[in-house]
Amino acid sequence: MIWREKRILLILLGLLLAANAIFFFTYRVQYQTRLTDLDERLDTADKQLESARAARLQAERQYQSYIQIQNDVKEVFDEHWSTEDARLTLMLAEIKRLGGASNLVPRSYAFDRKAVESAPTVSGRTRKAEIGATEVGVGFSVEGSYEQVRRLINLLELSRQFVIIDEIALNANKGQALTLTLHVKTLFRDDAAARPRVNNQRL
Amino acid sequence: MKPIHLNLAARPYRDYRPVYAAVVLMSLLTAFLMLNNVDTYYRYVHETKATRAKIAQRETQAAQERDREAISKRRLGQLDLVQLDDQTRFINAQLAERAFSWSVLLDELETIMGDDVRLISVSPTFDPDGSVKLALSFETKSANGLIETMNRMHAHPKFQNPFPSNETMLDGGGYSFVLTVDYLVQPRQIANARTVAR
């Protein structure tokens, strides 16, 4: 009877006690576990951050390396190869000058030109690819001594022009004279059409 | 004589002491637990504040890193990598040809040619892997010119796998022969060529 009369107070106190007891046993008792969990969450967050940072750095490095390659390609196209308008006559003049310097003056020159359109892939397959360059070849024959021939070859190798000696043929004449048939080639950048597009974006 | 039991109380007597005792006990217990819980919560919040801030900071930084990674990948996706790859390989091949030293090659050919063997033509082929294959045409007065030249190539460290294509007896005497051989270029030449477009 007396308990029933005070039941509201007792119920309130009981609820309060129960709530505190629940909190105590789930929170206070597992306090250390919670701290450990928090430390583990910090460790996990650290690892995730490191992982994200590494992935970001790798992506940035990859992008930067491609940009660097693109700039290198552009440099070769623009500065070393340039266009026919800008460099063809200079190259021809250089070949004639070097011939004269070696005392080997060709009687005639043959010229050829072809667009570079395809490139073999790593797997060996050939497919159409826009390289954006034109190959120009110059063939000529000269007569002279072996020393003169070697000098001309050496001068061509040291030339500041982008000249590639493609093929060499030698024929012995009477005495010490040789006939040297040379085919040299160079490359020119095609105008705008397939020039490498440079992405100037920076991270 | 009948005893008189006088009850002068205004209301019936109740013994509330057990109830009060229970209330006091529960109140004390509740107060103890509550204080303990408040202290625990406060300590937890206070002591873990730095850790939770670090976690939040790490998570924010990780999200930023992922955003930046996505930006880089998006930019990478905008590049024409196929064309760039084609151009790079083509340029490297051309630079390897340009770096190829004919003077060194002729010097080395001089060392492997016999007295009665003459070089007629040289035609190199540059493989994408940097190796060079030479097609060489010779004339010789001796019937053993081909064999002698191949033996000398075998003995030379720069020439490998010489293989004859043909040998023909010339009308005026002597022989002409063509052979192919792998020519090991100096590492400097390939390295220079490769570094340009890397």
Side-chain angles (χ1 to χ4, degrees):
Chain A
M1 186 66 181
I2 54 172
W3 298 102
R4 203 172 295 166
E5 283 179 15
K6 303 292 180 186
R7 66 179 179 278
I8 294 173
L9 177 64
L10 289 169
I11 288 170
L12 281 174
L13 274 171
L15 287 174
L16 210 55
L17 181 62
N20 276 288
I22 289 169
F23 187 88
F24 181 83
F25 284 110
T26 59
Y27 211 92
R28 176 72 179 88
V29 172
Q30 296 182 7
Y31 185 77
Q32 189 56 44
T33 311
R34 284 176 179 276
L35 286 180
T36 309
D37 286 348
L38 208 59
D39 287 339
E40 284 175 4
R41 272 183 60 197
L42 181 60
D43 283 344
T44 306
D46 275 337
K47 285 173 186 165
Q48 285 175 344
L49 176 60
E50 284 305 312
S51 170
R53 185 170 289 158
R56 189 260 302 170
L57 283 172
Q58 188 185 1
E60 283 183 357
R61 269 198 294 269
Q62 196 176 15
Y63 177 73
Q64 287 300 334
S65 65
Y66 275 111
I67 291 296
Q68 184 61 46
I69 290 170
Q70 207 173 38
N71 290 334
D72 290 343
V73 168
K74 186 178 185 305
E75 183 188 333
V76 171
F77 270 74
D78 288 350
E79 294 179 23
H80 295 285
W81 293 356
S82 191
T83 59
E84 278 189 30
D85 288 349
R87 205 171 62 81
L88 179 59
T89 53
L90 290 175
M91 190 206 72
L92 296 178
E94 174 81 346
I95 290 173
K96 290 190 173 187
R97 187 183 70 79
L98 297 180
S102 312
N103 292 321
L104 295 171
V105 181
R107 289 183 181 174
S108 65
Y109 293 93
F111 305 97
D112 57 89
R113 175 166 60 182
K114 64 177 180 181
V116 181
E117 287 181 337
S118 59
T121 60
V122 174
S123 61
R125 289 176 301 176
T126 301
R127 64 182 161 74
K128 201 87 167 174
E130 293 179 4
I131 298 297
T134 301
E135 185 182 301
V136 171
V138 183
F140 58 92
S141 295
V142 288
E143 286 185 17
S145 65
Y146 184 68
E147 287 71 25
Q148 286 175 307
V149 167
R150 290 294 304 266
R151 179 170 165 75
L152 175 59
I153 290 169
N154 188 243
L155 288 175
L156 283 168
E157 285 177 341
L158 297 176
S159 170
R160 297 180 71 85
Q161 285 286 332
F162 192 91
V163 180
I164 296 170
I165 300 174
D166 210 15
E167 194 169 347
I168 288 176
L170 291 164
N171 271 311
N173 298 332
K174 289 177 183 175
Q176 293 294 314
L178 290 171
T179 298
L180 169 70
T181 304
L182 263 179
H183 187 266
V184 299
K185 68 177 182 182
T186 191
L187 289 137
F188 295 107
R189 187 197 76 203
D190 290 344
D191 284 335
R195 210 181 322 169
R197 293 187 297 275
V198 171
N199 191 340
N200 289 320
Q201 290 173 316
R202 287 288 184 273
L203 291 177
Chain B
M1 189 168 171
K2 197 176 178 180
I4 299 170
H5 293 284
L6 288 174
N7 185 357
L8 300 176
R11 49 184 179 170
Y13 174 74
R14 299 272 193 274
D15 186 1
Y16 287 106
R17 280 178 302 178
V19 176
Y20 292 147
V23 167
V24 168
L25 190 66
M26 286 170 72
S27 298
L28 286 173
L29 202 57
T30 303
F32 171 75
L33 286 174
M34 190 178 282
L35 282 172
N36 207 310
N37 288 340
V38 168
D39 176 62
T40 302
Y41 179 76
Y42 178 78
R43 270 200 302 131
Y44 178 77
V45 169
H46 186 260
E47 288 178 7
T48 61
K49 187 178 178 183
T51 309
R52 283 183 292 111
K54 280 182 189 171
I55 291 171
Q57 187 189 21
R58 302 288 194 281
E59 286 172 347
T60 306
Q61 286 176 335
Q64 288 171 346
E65 296 287 354
R66 280 191 284 271
D67 287 345
R68 290 171 67 183
E69 181 196 357
I71 290 169
S72 290
K73 284 188 173 173
R74 201 163 47 242
R75 286 176 174 170
L76 196 61
Q78 291 168 352
L79 298 175
D80 188 349
L81 299 182
V82 175
Q83 189 198 18
L84 189 62
D85 182 54
D86 287 337
Q87 288 176 327
T88 307
R89 277 188 290 110
F90 178 74
I91 286 172
N92 277 336
Q94 299 306 311
L95 292 174
E97 287 190 46
R98 169 67 178 149
F100 180 75
S101 174
W102 283 85
S103 297
V104 173
L105 171 64
L106 291 173
D107 284 342
E108 285 166 350
L109 282 174
E110 284 175 17
T111 64
I112 60 161
M113 289 195 303
D115 292 338
D116 56 351
V117 177
R118 268 190 336 199
L119 178 68
I120 300 301
S121 71
V122 189
S123 178
T125 307
F126 298 88
D127 288 337
D129 63 356
S131 61
V132 180
K133 190 178 278 294
L134 300 174
L136 300 162
S137 177
F138 296 96
E139 278 186 7
T140 177
K141 293 174 185 171
S142 162
N144 290 326
L146 169 65
I147 294 166
E148 189 184 343
T149 304
M150 286 182 67
N151 282 336
R152 288 185 177 219
M153 283 181 170
H154 280 301
H156 198 287
K158 290 282 190 71
F159 296 97
Q160 286 188 347
N161 308 317
F163 190 79
S165 300
N166 62 62
E167 186 184 38
T168 309
M169 185 181 287
L170 299 172
D171 292 337
Y175 298 84
S176 73
F177 60 90
V178 177
L179 54 82
T180 57
V181 63
D182 294 333
Y183 178 57
L184 301 180
V185 293
Q186 293 169 358
R188 176 180 58 82
Q189 295 171 330
I190 297 301
N192 286 346
R194 283 183 178 164
T195 51
V196 172
R198 191 168 55 194

